[in-house]
Amino acid sequence: MASREARKPRILIAGGGVAGLVLALAAKRRGFEVRVFEKDLSAVRGEGQYRGPIILHGNALAVLAAIDPDVARQVLAAACVTGDRLNGLADGITGDWFIKIDLLTPARKKGLPLTRSICRMTLQDILLKAIGSDTVHNRSKVVDFREHQNKVTVILGDGREYEGDVLVGADGIWSKVRAKLFGWQDAQYSNYTCYSGSVDYVPSYISTVGYRVFVGFNQYFVACDIGCGKMQWYGFHKEPPGSKRKRLLELYEGWCSEVVALISWTSESMILRRDLYDRDMIYTWGRGRITLVGDAAHAMQPALGQSGCMAIEDCYQLVLELEKAYVKCDCHDKHADEIALAIARYERKRILRVGIVHAVTRMAARMSSTYRPYLDFRARMPIGRS
Ligand SMILES: Cc1cc2nc3c(=O)[nH]c(=O)nc-3n(C[C@H](O)[C@H](O)[C@H](O)COP(=O)(O)OP(=O)(O)OC[C@H]3O[C@@H](n4cnc5c(N)ncnc54)[C@H](O)[C@@H]3O)c2cc1C
């Protein structure tokens, strides 16, 4: 029987990373009933240590402000502004700038917040507090789901089951939801390992430089101010397993002092290593009442610092579309169709933009790691001889 009393769809979210938590926040603020299932909230700390920051550009920060102005204010206050200083690309060996990117002028013109770096744990704390602990089920691994005509059931590793109207896979690059939807596909190894470290170190250039990518051949290096007298760095390299700091100093031997100093001052235990994967772009993210957001949908390499920002944008768009489904639909029986249409609209509206960022990210990763002078001017031809 059709009921006049429309109920907002209940949203089940697999994964409580950036995408899962931002989606939960956006959906709750619009009055949806939400449950997040996260296998291990402490994973954001990475090997039990400070895992480092995430850079949020103006696009993602503006979306956060549209979702919840108070959360956005907390994020802006806790983060370190890098977008008001020099950012760009430099030669890894000489340290000379290639490209200085002005992030300040376009942000001001568009009225966007300035790019910032924020500790992932701080971001997680702010989001969790705003969402409420009753919404997030920690130590809850999603192992399967079942689709029915009028609902979807999520199955957890310990046998618990939960019903909802929509299931969103926000479970990252190794997404279980995606694997069940489309079959298991291997992620693509980028051929790069990423060492990273954070260090209590205030370089002399701190007041003028926010974020710099030092480019090289088969390796590149990123340095970023994260505030409170700390610097974060990432060293990317084609790499067999081995020890960390010693190996890094070998890899970056002869590079400029800005790079070598950061590695030298970081203790072995504060250096992390992670192999980088991404996935080819796919152009369908869901089926019926199930869809994907963030890395589950479109995992990218970190070369542009936009992958997490795209996840935040996904969440906003998805909730807007689900909201429209609820407004349109005055009876429960029509929900299934409206939900499927809303999810299809969400995908259509996101895929072109994300596809472009995905392609440019791969190009940027390649560009940063294939730089070497094409002509060696030191070996001059003797003048006057043929
Ligand atoms: C070195 C590095 C630096 C980066 N820097 C930036 C940056 O500066 N700016 C930026 O925008 N992006 C950056 N990124 C990318 C960014 O980290 C990701 O795009 C972002 O974390 C994606 O968020 P997500 O929630 O989709 O996935 P994830 O962050 O991977 O979260 C997925 C969550 O799902 C959980 N999970 C997985 N499987 C299950 C399951 N079966 N059941 C329940 N829970 C599950 C996981 O525990 C995890 O908490 C960087 C990436 C790397 C590797």
Side-chain angles (χ1 to χ4, degrees):
M1 264 279 284
S3 120
R4 300 299 305 163
E5 190 60 26
R7 172 174 57 71
K8 280 198 173 178
R10 296 160 300 168
I11 303 179
L12 306 177
I13 302 171
V18 179
L21 295 183
V22 171
L23 179 62
L25 179 69
K28 278 200 95 170
R29 291 297 175 263
R30 298 268 172 164
F32 290 92
E33 199 185 302
V34 187
R35 282 181 196 275
V36 180
F37 304 102
E38 166 55 49
K39 66 178 179 186
D40 179 10
L41 272 177
S42 73
V44 76
R45 284 156 176 80
E47 298 167 28
Q49 296 167 13
Y50 180 90
R51 182 175 138 196
I54 182 164
I55 290 176
L56 296 178
H57 291 284
N59 55 323
L61 292 165
V63 166
L64 265 186
I67 291 171
D68 185 324
D70 188 47
V71 163
R73 259 192 300 278
Q74 292 177 52
V75 169
L76 293 183
C80 167
V81 178
T82 53
D84 58 352
R85 284 172 273 164
L86 285 180
N87 293 269
L89 302 180
D91 184 316
I93 295 183
T94 63
D96 295 342
W97 283 93
F98 284 135
I99 302 170
K100 293 177 180 169
I101 301 171
D102 173 15
L103 296 174
L104 182 63
T105 311
R108 282 214 173 123
K109 268 194 186 153
K110 303 266 177 206
L112 294 172
L114 293 178
T115 296
R116 284 160 162 82
S117 60
I118 183 167
C119 164
R120 287 177 190 255
M121 282 148 54
T122 308
L123 179 63
Q124 185 191 60
D125 286 345
I126 293 172
L127 291 170
L128 281 175
K129 218 171 278 164
I131 295 162
S133 52
D134 51 331
T135 301
V136 182
H137 301 243
N138 194 16
R139 287 183 286 280
S140 298
K141 183 174 178 182
V142 173
V143 291
D144 203 357
F145 62 82
R146 282 193 301 270
E147 298 167 80
H148 317 270
Q149 176 68 18
N150 283 319
K151 63 181 184 194
V152 56
T153 306
V154 151
I155 301 152
L156 303 184
D158 59 9
R160 279 176 295 157
E161 298 194 358
Y162 291 87
E163 287 181 358
D165 299 297
V166 176
L167 168 62
V168 182
D171 46 347
I173 187 168
W174 310 110
S175 170
K176 258 259 160 348
V177 177
R178 174 176 170 140
K180 169 128 192 210
L181 279 172
F182 304 121
W184 175 256
Q185 290 151 332
D186 283 333
Q188 218 160 301
Y189 183 47
S190 67
N191 286 324
Y192 282 82
T193 273
C194 172
Y195 292 91
S196 59
S198 59
V199 52
D200 294 315
Y201 174 67
V202 182
S204 55
Y205 51 81
I206 198 77
S207 58
T208 51
V209 180
Y211 177 94
R212 196 162 19 167
V213 181
F214 295 92
V215 300
F217 189 68
N218 287 339
Q219 65 197 93
Y220 61 107
F221 191 94
V222 173
C224 179
D225 180 15
I226 52 174
C228 306
K230 282 180 186 290
M231 289 290 289
Q232 174 75 28
W233 56 261
Y234 302 97
F236 299 85
H237 192 259
K238 285 188 182 171
E239 183 58 34
S243 100
K244 296 181 287 186
R245 187 167 62 170
K246 185 166 162 286
R247 179 73 184 121
L248 276 163
L249 287 170
E250 281 166 18
L251 294 177
Y252 291 92
E253 188 187 350
W255 280 44
C256 58
S257 59
E258 289 95 321
V259 169
V260 174
L262 283 170
I263 300 171
S264 310
W265 283 96
T266 309
S267 66
E268 180 82 10
S269 65
M270 289 303 287
I271 298 177
L272 302 181
R273 196 201 134 135
R274 153 136 73 131
D275 297 335
L276 294 178
Y277 290 81
D278 68 1
R279 288 187 182 276
D280 288 341
M281 188 68 193
I282 53 170
Y283 297 91
T284 304
W285 295 348
R287 182 177 66 212
R289 48 181 73 238
I290 301 160
T291 191
L292 305 172
V293 292
D295 280 12
H298 46 68
M300 301 174 202
Q301 294 176 48
L304 283 190
Q306 271 290 354
S307 185
C309 297
M310 287 298 107
I312 291 173
E313 289 187 4
D314 291 345
C315 300
Y316 184 66
Q317 190 73 50
L318 177 57
V319 170
L320 280 187
E321 299 307 334
L322 287 171
E323 176 85 6
K324 283 184 209 155
Y326 162 73
V327 170
K328 268 194 187 167
C329 184
D330 63 355
C331 90
H332 189 56
D333 292 349
K334 280 199 261 161
H335 256 144
D337 292 346
E338 288 300 335
I339 288 171
L341 287 171
I343 285 176
R345 278 198 307 276
Y346 148 71
E347 293 182 13
R348 231 180 11 254
K349 289 187 177 169
R350 290 296 297 148
I351 274 172
L352 179 62
R353 174 166 168 80
V354 171
I356 291 168
V357 173
H358 183 276
V360 175
T361 296
R362 275 198 174 161
M363 211 190 305
R366 209 162 167 70
M367 204 178 77
S368 305
S369 57
T370 51
Y371 167 73
R372 64 177 162 193
Y374 292 102
L375 294 173
D376 185 354
F377 295 108
R378 286 168 305 182
R380 287 177 194 280
M381 279 181 22
I383 297 168
R385 293 199 199 148
S386 57

